[in-house]
Amino acid sequence: MIVRIRRLLVRLTLFLAFVGCWEAAYRAGLLNPIIFAAPSVIVKAAVKDGWTFLAAFRVTVLEITMAILMAWCFGIIFGVIAGSLPILARISAPMLSAVIALPLVVIYPVLLVWFGLGVTSKIVFGTISGVFPIALNTLTGVQSIDHGFATMARAMGANRRQIMFRVMAPLALPAIIAGLRLGTALIVIGVVLSEMLASTDGIGFWISYHRSLFNTGQVYLGIILALSITILVNMILSFVERMHFRGGDERFVR
Amino acid sequence: MNHRPTARAGSVEIIKVERLSKQYGSGANSLRALSDISLSVSEGQFVTVVGPSGCGKSTLLLILAGLVSPSSGDVWIDGAAVTGPLPEKISVMFQEAWLLPWKTAVENVEFPLMLRGAPFAIRRPRALSLLQLVGLEGFANRYPGELSGGMKQRVAIARSLVQEPRVLLMDEPFAALDEQTRTRMGNELLQVWEKFGRTVVFVTHGLTEAIYLADFVFVMSARPGRILERFHVELPRPRTIEMIGNEAFGRLRNRIWHLIGGA
């Protein structure tokens, strides 16, 4: 406990020192204010446009949340089903790998035509960005499980659905969680990116807007908010991971 | 202690196999695993199946369990034709225990009942009493990763009894254990069997184990597997380790040995 508090204090001191140096360099005229916004400039921007950014933050968080829910659900369900059906796995695994290698931004203009400039196109693009790695990881995770488990479950009277979701899916959980980490990071990237390309609201939109006006302070404020979303999402993922491994890894030794 | 069902006298036929064959693939690449197998087992008997490796004894067991379908022939267990798993009548054990790693021992034992939607108040006491039967009452809340190989197979024995099946099918359940543990597990299995009087079909490649446990030993030939002969083991029950050294045991072991070797 004391160790943790001390570590926290050290980190805080380092952070404050860094911010102080940054501000001092700006005051001394060493930093170009258009390229590097000093902390005081960012604070000024926050006072001026704080509410706009908070509203935008809400929009972005909503989009990311929806995209995460959809990508997790579709990715895991598809991965589990495809992973347990050899024919479907053989068809879909190479396709999923191919789609992951594709720069998905190229389909964003199409989504704009389909879903408009509003939040829907961001949610859909975010989902598409994240769902494929989640599905592929789940699929390979389920495939790699020893057939003995399924045979045993069948002998015990489990039906197809029970075998998939009460035996195979939990067994594949380590692989699924690895996929969630990858996919969720891509969702956050996808949503903010799509906001920056074409939208009416959201953190990405306001970063893009203020950049074109050379309001560096506001751009940095947006960057900080986007960072905080990533940190939040990472905390949720770590929580899920810890829930899963609460008994320690040793119980996954057969 | 001897309150086994009277059916043990050997009157009621519980497993009946007729002209069973199994072929994998077709045409020139086909593989005949089993050929024209007919056998019958009476209720309450402990029978073992031995044969050279690759003779299809595991396939035979999977067919009896309804997990693999035969190419031709029929299997009846307790009057029902076997076309798929019959968890209320038949339970299966393999070389691996296949315990679910995120469930504790007792949760693993009650898992088959949970699949059936049995309420906690029914499944938990039954699972606990079975764990006690296999001597693991102190380990009910341990995870499989914390149990030794022998303990895992004991959990698997408890789990295989939880649905109160009529027939236990065991495919080399102790083959992965060290010799001492294997012998001890064999004795414990016999005790459980004496208590419950279920029919057991036990596949193994250990001749000593096969004779030691069994009322009848079925000997299979090399591929395609056929039943060569059925031996009656006339040693008294309960069996003891000393019997392995006696003359009748040795003679029977030699006969089976030569039968398999010469096949």
Side-chain angles (χ1 to χ4, degrees):
Chain A
M1 193 63 198
I2 292 167
V3 177
R4 282 183 65 180
I5 292 172
R6 256 183 45 198
R7 203 186 309 154
L8 210 72
L9 278 175
V10 170
R11 277 185 195 169
L12 199 68
T13 320
L14 278 175
F15 176 72
L16 288 177
F18 172 71
V19 172
C21 288
W22 187 358
E23 183 69 33
Y26 169 70
R27 297 270 158 115
L30 291 174
L31 294 179
N32 182 343
I34 294 200
I35 301 173
F36 289 110
S40 61
V41 179
I42 299 172
V43 171
K44 242 180 273 169
V47 171
K48 186 159 170 275
D49 286 324
W51 288 115
T52 324
F53 270 96
L54 269 187
F57 182 75
R58 266 188 48 195
V59 171
T60 304
V61 167
L62 173 89
E63 289 164 354
I64 289 175
T65 312
M66 295 300 294
I68 285 177
L69 284 178
M70 303 225 299
W72 284 23
C73 285
F74 290 144
I76 293 173
I77 291 173
F78 179 81
V80 169
I81 293 174
S84 355
L85 304 173
I87 304 161
L88 199 54
R90 226 168 311 146
I91 298 169
S92 54
M95 273 165 59
L96 286 173
S97 321
V99 174
I100 290 169
L102 205 72
L104 285 171
V105 213
V106 295
I107 62 160
Y108 185 57
V110 182
L111 296 181
L112 279 178
V113 177
W114 287 357
F115 300 106
L117 275 176
V119 291
T120 318
S121 55
K122 289 14 164 228
I123 295 172
V124 173
F125 186 67
T127 308
I128 292 175
S129 310
V131 73
F132 296 111
I134 296 174
L136 185 64
N137 256 51
T138 308
L139 189 159
T140 47
V142 169
Q143 264 189 319
S144 66
I145 297 167
D146 201 303
H147 282 294
F149 281 107
T151 309
M152 192 70 231
R154 216 148 60 81
M156 291 190 293
N159 60 36
R160 255 209 148 92
R161 194 172 37 85
Q162 285 173 323
I163 292 174
M164 281 184 194
F165 290 98
R166 302 189 65 171
V167 178
M168 304 304 257
L171 281 170
L173 214 51
I176 294 176
I177 285 179
L180 292 184
R181 273 213 167 273
L182 193 65
T184 309
L186 290 174
I187 290 172
V188 177
I189 294 170
V191 167
V192 175
L193 184 70
S194 62
E195 282 176 352
M196 292 181 74
L197 287 175
S199 62
T200 55
D201 205 347
I203 298 284
F205 171 76
W206 287 109
I207 291 176
S208 189
Y209 173 84
H210 285 289
R211 190 214 56 207
S212 60
L213 298 177
F214 293 102
N215 290 334
T216 314
Q218 275 83 343
V219 172
Y220 274 64
L221 180 62
I223 293 172
I224 292 170
L225 286 176
L227 250 168
S228 65
I229 293 176
T230 319
I231 293 169
L232 207 76
V233 168
N234 261 319
M235 277 165 63
I236 294 170
L237 276 170
S238 302
F239 177 72
V240 172
E241 246 168 24
R242 238 172 312 139
M243 289 258 297
H244 173 231
F245 291 115
R246 63 182 184 274
D249 290 2
E250 79 275 1
R251 65 160 126 145
F252 270 82
V253 180
R254 213 166 42 235
Chain B
M1 195 46 206
N2 217 344
H3 54 272
R4 247 183 270 135
T6 48
R8 182 159 149 55
S11 48
V12 183
E13 187 177 57
I14 191 155
I15 301 175
K16 190 176 159 71
V17 176
E18 265 189 359
R19 306 191 61 87
L20 187 80
S21 293
K22 177 68 186 175
Q23 192 164 340
Y24 288 104
S26 57
N29 288 327
S30 72
L31 181 80
R32 263 162 64 110
L34 297 174
S35 164
D36 198 24
I37 287 185
S38 298
L39 59 87
S40 95
V41 179
S42 299
E43 177 152 33
Q45 280 180 346
F46 198 124
V47 307
T48 52
V49 181
V50 291
S53 53
C55 73
K57 46 194 194 292
S58 291
T59 306
L60 174 63
L61 199 91
L62 289 171
I63 292 173
L64 292 183
L67 293 166
V68 166
S69 47
S71 305
S72 66
D74 297 290
V75 177
W76 288 276
I77 285 189
D78 196 22
V82 176
T83 52
L86 297 169
E88 282 95 358
K89 288 182 189 290
I90 311 166
S91 73
V92 195
M93 259 183 82
F94 299 103
Q95 190 171 328
E96 280 267 3
W98 303 118
L99 302 176
L100 301 177
W102 65 93
K103 286 185 181 293
T104 59
V106 67
E107 286 168 348
N108 265 293
V109 173
E110 67 188 12
F111 187 66
L113 297 177
M114 233 169 89
L115 291 173
R116 206 131 280 100
F120 184 86
I122 288 177
R123 58 174 207 253
R124 184 51 62 96
R126 201 194 289 181
L128 284 173
S129 74
L130 283 169
L131 275 179
Q132 193 173 12
L133 181 79
V134 296
L136 287 180
E137 60 271 35
F139 295 85
N141 295 317
R142 297 295 186 87
Y143 289 97
E146 303 171 299
L147 303 177
S148 69
M151 286 160 120
K152 278 186 235 181
Q153 283 301 41
R154 280 192 240 171
V155 175
I157 291 176
R159 182 180 58 188
S160 71
L161 292 170
V162 80
Q163 301 209 73
E164 298 179 343
R166 306 293 300 276
V167 175
L168 256 82
L169 304 175
M170 312 180 104
D171 187 4
E172 307 198 26
F174 308 141
L177 305 174
D178 61 88
E179 174 125 28
Q180 263 192 323
T181 314
R182 193 186 318 156
T183 310
R184 212 173 52 232
M185 292 294 293
N187 277 325
E188 285 178 23
L189 177 64
L190 283 181
Q191 279 168 22
V192 169
W193 169 73
E194 304 246 346
K195 212 160 174 178
F196 282 84
R198 305 268 189 265
T199 311
V200 178
V201 179
F202 189 107
V203 166
T204 175
H205 56 242
L207 295 190
T208 309
E209 190 182 33
I211 299 166
Y212 183 71
L213 296 173
D215 293 320
F216 290 97
V217 180
F218 287 95
V219 180
M220 284 178 72
S221 69
R223 194 162 52 221
R226 285 168 295 118
I227 301 283
L228 289 177
E229 207 166 332
R230 188 187 79 159
F231 291 96
H232 188 189
V233 183
E234 283 163 359
L235 298 168
R237 305 260 184 197
R239 303 274 161 87
T240 56
I241 300 292
E242 289 69 41
M243 290 178 189
I244 294 176
N246 81 22
E247 201 194 334
F249 196 103
R251 231 180 356 222
L252 187 53
R253 196 178 183 285
N254 277 341
R255 277 180 69 194
I256 296 175
W257 176 269
H258 288 297
L259 191 58
I260 291 175

